[in-house]
Amino acid sequence: MFLGKLRSRWTGPFIVKVVYPYGAVEIENPATGQSFKVNGQRLKPFLEHFDQQESSENLVDPLYQVAPSE
């Protein structure tokens, strides 16, 4: 659509590799392996279709043990 500077460098689902302080995020294109930093506010969440008929597991509270004092 745009040529040069105004052309979009990224389209499609990306993998978030690193989240830096102050909102910077490093993302990677899984098809090419190319990664670059972007403003985290520009990212949109990608939610795959979720089938609610899938099985689920009941989680159990962990048991905590007090370490013996020396």
Side-chain angles (χ1 to χ4, degrees):
M1 181 169 176
F2 295 108
L3 300 175
K5 282 186 182 181
L6 299 178
R7 137 185 110 73
S8 177
R9 294 190 330 166
W10 43 300
T11 302
F14 285 84
I15 299 171
V16 174
K17 299 302 277 185
V18 181
V19 178
Y20 295 100
Y22 306 107
V25 177
E26 184 176 341
I27 58 176
E28 179 181 339
N29 184 345
T32 63
Q34 178 186 9
S35 64
F36 51 93
K37 287 184 188 178
V38 296
N39 181 347
Q41 294 179 346
R42 294 186 166 269
L43 299 178
K44 296 179 183 176
F46 175 73
L47 304 174
E48 293 186 82
H49 175 68
F50 179 70
D51 187 13
Q52 293 183 356
Q53 299 296 330
E54 293 181 14
S55 65
S56 63
E57 289 187 33
N58 293 329
L59 299 177
V60 180
D61 289 333
L63 299 175
Y64 295 105
Q65 296 179 354
V66 178
S69 60
E70 293 182 38

